[in-house]
Amino acid sequence: MPMTMSRARVARRIATAAAFGGSGVGLLGVAAVGVLLTEVRLARRTVGGSSDIPPCADGRYGAAFGHRTDRPPLRLGFLGDSTAAGQGVHRSAQTPGALLASGLAALSELPVDFRNVALPGAQSDDLERQVQLMLAADAAVPDVCVIMIGANDVTHRMPPAQSVRHLSEAVRRLRAAGCEVVVGTCPDLGTIEPVYQPLRWVARRLSRQLAAAQTIGVIESGGRTVSLGDLLGPEFEARPRELFGPDNYHPSAEGYATAAMAVLPTLCASLGLWPEEEQPEPARGEGLLPVAQAAAEAASEGGTEVTASRRAPWALLKHRRRRQLPDTETAGPSSVTP
């Protein structure tokens, strides 16, 4: 609890700095950040990374549902970095966007038109460009957008307040356009193999600090968040050969499926397709908390949703039960954008 409260205070200061144009504060000093950068460079040489272009998964999913209803297709947009783009896998059906589009189609029983503007290597300052693409005059505004961003902000030393400011502005612009927004917060960089101490400890702390601050910014801008940090922690740490891809940096197909299963309930809830009457269960650590505390709690446990409450400035912390994803081979896409 003391660590959670400390993270909550730091996250609130970062979010406040983001709102008022400050540089923000961090848990770690300049010397520690210098260690992180040195170790990241060494780790990159060992890990390698991937220069492959992610497979394009744009298109319509669940097209068969269109023959059963007169309702228009749902529109799902994806923004962010290489994780959002699906880097590390070679088939479009294995990307997180395709997995979520298929899941959304199956649970809504409606076709889903999917569009991804995420860019591998992107930092949060690229979100302005991505939002412009998503809201272009010749494009239909999505019903819901998923954003996955943050890892490159940590490794490239973007000030956390600046990172949160860019993300919050992107969420506000999408919400103003009538789009629901779900953000998968910064993953736990301490799970990357082979990454050793002190990088593992420093990267984990910086990742969770940013994830908590992102959550505050997103909630106060009208979006919802799902923590990917710890989700890509114990499970990835215990089974790295299964959940990391060939480059040992990006998730494998199974790793993306694990993350998508955690995001799907929140994605559906944002569109009213998930039973909101489901009450918080205190025994599972759910409940109403001050926003900063909810953000800090979520950063420590993957798959945790944080959404705004009518009792502002409190937020609702939930651990929605995951649903098995449908087979993307049968759900779509029926067409793919070249």
Side-chain angles (χ1 to χ4, degrees), residues 19-301:
F20 290 97
S23 61
V25 295
L27 289 174
L28 304 170
V30 174
V33 173
V35 170
L36 170 65
L37 294 174
T38 300
E39 294 289 341
V40 163
R41 293 188 190 101
L42 293 174
R44 278 178 177 164
R45 294 176 188 172
T46 306
V47 171
S50 173
S51 58
D52 294 342
I53 298 175
C56 180
D58 290 16
R60 176 163 294 183
Y61 291 74
F65 292 117
H67 302 296
R68 308 178 191 176
T69 178
D70 294 329
R71 295 170 60 192
L74 293 173
R75 296 182 296 275
L76 169 63
F78 245 63
L79 307 88
D81 55 22
S82 57
T83 301
Q87 192 159 15
V89 296
H90 300 289
R91 296 167 56 199
S92 61
Q94 297 171 330
T95 63
L99 292 166
L100 285 173
S102 299
L104 182 58
L107 289 171
S108 66
E109 297 188 346
L110 288 170
V112 173
D113 288 337
F114 173 68
R115 184 177 178 221
N116 196 334
V117 297
L119 178 68
Q123 299 176 52
S124 291
D125 55 4
D126 190 57
L127 288 176
E128 180 179 4
R129 182 191 65 83
Q130 294 184 29
V131 170
Q132 288 178 345
L133 289 174
M134 192 62 69
L135 301 180
D138 60 344
V141 175
D143 295 295
V144 60
C145 280
V146 174
I147 304 175
M148 295 180 177
I149 199 93
N152 296 318
D153 295 9
V154 174
T155 59
H156 289 79
R157 285 195 301 175
M158 177 177 287
Q162 182 180 336
S163 175
V164 172
R165 188 180 308 123
H166 288 303
L167 175 59
S168 299
E169 178 59 25
V171 173
R172 282 193 292 269
R173 288 182 60 194
L174 290 169
R175 292 290 292 126
C179 177
E180 298 292 337
V181 182
V182 176
V183 174
T185 54
C186 182
D188 185 350
L189 298 180
T191 63
I192 299 171
E193 283 203 348
V195 172
Y196 306 107
Q197 300 295 5
L199 173 60
R200 185 180 294 270
W201 179 85
V202 174
R204 175 161 290 161
R205 200 150 184 192
L206 286 172
S207 302
R208 292 184 177 184
Q209 174 182 299
L210 178 57
Q214 284 178 321
T215 297
I216 295 174
V218 170
I219 296 305
E220 295 182 346
S221 299
R224 304 183 185 217
T225 64
V226 178
S227 170
L228 299 182
D230 198 53
L231 175 72
L232 310 185
E235 295 181 43
F236 274 55
E237 206 163 16
R239 297 184 291 148
R241 297 294 175 252
E242 297 175 49
L243 298 179
F244 280 113
D247 62 5
N248 288 334
Y249 186 86
H250 294 98
S252 65
E254 186 175 349
Y256 279 130
T258 299
M261 281 192 293
V263 174
L264 180 61
T266 301
L267 178 66
C268 292
S270 72
L271 296 173
L273 301 171
W274 202 266
E276 290 289 9
E277 65 270 20
E278 179 183 352
Q279 295 299 312
E281 299 180 27
R284 302 179 67 216
E286 299 182 341
L288 283 169
L289 296 170
V291 173
Q293 186 178 342
E297 295 277 359
S300 299
E301 186 170 353

Side-chain angles (χ1 to χ4, degrees), residues 1-9:
M1 183 62 71
M3 177 61 72
T4 299
M5 295 306 295
S6 174
R7 186 178 297 127
R9 287 193 293 270

